[in-house]
Amino acid sequence: MSRTADPVPAEPADALPAGALRATSRRWWILALIGLAQLMVMLDSTIVNIALPSAQADLGFADGDRQWVITAYALAFGGLLLLGGRISDMFGRRRVFLTGLIGFALASALGGAAPSFGLLLTARALQGAFAALLAPSARSLLVTTFTEPRERAKAFGVFGGIAGAGGAIGLLLGGVLTQGFSWRWTLYVNVALALVALAGALRLLPREGRDRAVRLDVPGVLLVSSALFGLVYGLSDATSRTWGAPATWGPLTSGVLLLAAFTWWQTRATRPLLPLAILLDRTRAASYLTVLVSGAGVFGVFLFVTYYLQGTLGYSPTRTGLAFLPMVAVTMVVSVLASTSLLARFGPRPVVPLGLAVSAAGMAWMTALGTDSGYAAHLLPPLLLAGVGMGLSTAPAISLATYGVAPRDAGVSSAAVSTMQQIGGSVGTALFNTMATTAVTRYLTAHPARTPATLARANIHGYATAYWWAAGVFALGAVLTFALHRPGRLRAPEEERGA
């Protein structure tokens, strides 16, 4: 058996068009620009969470309505991602990126100034819709800008680190802005970030013409958007209701059926929205699975560790965000190392499953936390271990999810990555919340004396149950990705197509 070859380098500079030459000469500034856009999208998954109590007191909405501030964003974002990816392929990544930035900034300003709950929800839904344009266009710009293997690996390492750390940064920034200024600044901050990104995009990104060879698969868009809407809605509803409630299982069932119909249609469509060949490649399939599992696990970490820090250890929102910073730093460093060195040397099969297994170990370690545990001695070590695991798995997976994809499909394949991340986060939040709540209820049933100490131990028991489930999800992902990834280093896309 012949030894597999390294991915082939990009075309020589003189073979590139003038616009590509200008972009290549400033590609690291483009990476900073893309990273800023990705950070905006990831921030809004968590930054508003900490601000919700203040927003509720200001606008006067009920406890039962709080979840909708999160759900409105998730529904629009998750439901429209694949459409946003294909629009990016059709009309040009620069144009769609700029549209996403401007729309996201305007929607954020509207939300920050919202005088009523209804207008706040409208703004959050608009944020999600424009994020569905912004996220896939940013990822596809990364794919098309960095074609030389070594630089591509470094770029995706940085990007993957931002993707993995954005949620924790959102918690920190949300706490600082809410405590120091107002909940409204958790939305206004996007305006400032978007203006910086917009100025950079106008100067750095090369102009593109419309690709008229790409067509919009309208039936596919309607099927998959409806399917994702049903799945995200059902999973979001499961966090506040039981799984047996019609408002939960109805949308979930509809979503699964519509997703099956979408898959069938993609085998029949002349110009499918998401060519199934993108998903059926073993390397890419393993990467999408990794992103799905990581999305679920990351939300488990942020959600229940936040509950533990604030509810058990009595941390303020700002201090809670600061507590995540060591994990963020480790994740980013390991992301770059995994993408630039380990992936090229060993291939994805040992690296990505190892990362998921390490994350599982970190989750399992957290189950030992108690009411009298300290941050430095007891919580920081498993947090750092989880950060190592996420760095080893997430950045390589994001890079490989678009490996060997034709440029005209870069947008929709990038959107599939964001979709997996979004669905994973919704699954993790709903599943772990349900398991934790059930565990707390059973503990209190077995210990009927409702003293403060009993309630505190019940919550710790619920958190530990959620960590065990997160550990199980990571471990299952490690086994499945090990089976899917081929042994050895990656072959170049040309070799894959010829095999």
Side-chain angles (χ1 to χ4, degrees):
M1 181 181 296
S2 61
R3 183 180 178 181
T4 57
D6 292 329
V8 294
E11 292 177 88
D14 58 7
L16 294 172
L21 276 175
R22 289 193 296 271
T24 300
S25 66
R26 294 172 288 184
R27 56 192 176 276
W28 296 110
W29 284 108
I30 293 176
L31 173 61
L33 170 67
I34 294 169
L36 181 59
Q38 173 68 10
L39 182 61
M40 286 172 55
V41 173
M42 294 304 299
L43 281 178
D44 267 69
S45 299
T46 56
I47 193 172
V48 176
N49 295 33
I50 288 178
L52 276 179
S54 298
Q56 183 180 6
D58 190 13
L59 300 181
F61 52 89
D63 288 346
D65 292 331
R66 283 198 305 188
Q67 182 63 28
W68 283 103
V69 179
I70 308 300
T71 303
Y73 179 85
L75 283 175
F77 184 42
L80 298 175
L81 267 168
L82 288 178
L83 173 60
R86 186 50 89 193
I87 288 175
S88 174
D89 293 328
M90 290 176 63
F91 293 101
R93 295 161 188 90
R94 181 183 188 271
R95 185 178 292 115
V96 175
F97 185 80
L98 293 173
T99 302
L101 278 175
I102 294 170
F104 197 86
L106 292 175
S108 299
L110 177 66
S116 66
F117 178 63
L119 198 56
L120 177 61
L121 284 190
T122 301
R124 289 289 287 166
L126 288 171
Q127 276 188 308
F130 284 107
L133 292 176
L134 189 58
S137 59
R139 274 197 172 95
S140 58
L141 279 168
L142 194 67
V143 172
T144 55
T145 300
F146 291 90
T147 54
E148 195 278 323
R150 188 175 298 277
E151 290 187 347
R152 175 188 169 96
K154 187 180 296 184
F156 269 98
V158 173
F159 186 85
I162 293 172
I169 296 173
L171 292 173
L172 171 60
L173 195 56
V176 170
L177 293 174
T178 302
Q179 281 188 267
F181 299 95
S182 160
W183 68 268
R184 296 182 183 277
W185 279 97
T186 62
L187 295 163
Y188 285 146
V189 69
N190 290 317
V191 179
L193 295 176
L195 288 175
V196 173
L198 184 63
L202 289 170
R203 180 175 178 81
L204 294 171
L205 298 181
R207 295 183 180 275
E208 302 171 280
R210 177 177 174 178
D211 189 345
R212 299 189 181 278
V214 180
R215 295 286 186 271
L216 190 61
D217 173 18
V218 177
V221 167
L222 294 175
L223 285 170
V224 77
S225 296
S226 301
L228 293 173
F229 184 92
L231 290 173
V232 173
Y233 181 90
L235 290 166
S236 298
D237 197 75
T239 62
S240 56
R241 303 177 189 264
T242 64
W243 286 89
T248 298
W249 63 258
L252 286 176
T253 303
S254 300
V256 170
L257 293 176
L258 287 167
L259 199 58
F262 169 73
T263 303
W264 170 83
W265 172 250
Q266 295 307 279
T267 66
R268 301 289 190 275
T270 305
R271 298 176 185 269
L273 175 67
L274 181 62
L276 293 184
I278 292 176
L279 300 178
L280 294 178
D281 176 84
R282 286 178 58 179
T283 298
R284 289 194 291 269
S287 298
Y288 288 128
L289 176 63
T290 302
V291 172
L292 181 74
V293 168
S294 297
V298 165
F299 273 78
V301 175
F302 293 158
L303 185 64
F304 291 99
V305 172
T306 298
Y307 289 164
Y308 176 74
L309 288 169
Q310 294 187 3
T312 303
L313 301 187
Y315 278 31
S316 68
T318 301
R319 193 178 178 192
T320 298
L322 289 171
F324 283 105
L325 285 187
M327 187 190 77
V328 170
V330 167
T331 299
M332 298 194 73
V333 170
V334 175
S335 292
V336 175
L337 175 65
S339 297
T340 58
S341 179
L342 300 180
L343 192 63
R345 184 173 181 181
F346 300 107
R349 193 179 198 191
V351 176
V352 174
L354 175 62
L356 294 174
V358 170
S359 294
M363 293 293 98
W365 193 347
M366 286 184 193
T367 62
L369 296 172
T371 55
D372 57 349
S373 298
Y375 172 75
H378 303 101
L379 179 57
L380 183 58
L383 269 182
L384 294 177
L385 190 63
V388 170
M390 291 173 194
L392 286 172
S393 57
T394 303
I398 290 175
S399 174
L400 296 174
T402 53
Y403 178 76
V405 173
R408 70 176 45 178
D409 291 324
V412 74
S413 63
S414 298
V417 178
S418 297
T419 301
M420 291 296 180
Q421 201 167 36
Q422 180 68 26
I423 295 297
S426 298
V427 169
T429 302
L431 176 63
F432 302 150
N433 251 324
T434 300
M435 296 308 167
T437 302
T438 302
V440 169
T441 302
R442 290 177 177 172
Y443 187 93
L444 292 175
T445 301
H447 302 80
R450 300 296 178 90
T451 64
T454 301
L455 292 174
R457 286 193 294 269
N459 286 330
I460 290 294
H461 180 65
Y463 304 156
T465 300
Y467 298 145
W468 277 124
W469 275 89
V473 168
F474 276 123
L476 179 61
V479 172
L480 293 177
T481 54
F482 185 82
L484 281 171
H485 276 301
R486 297 184 181 94
R489 293 185 297 174
L490 287 174
R491 294 187 292 180
E494 289 79 0
E495 293 181 275
E496 292 283 351
R497 289 192 287 269

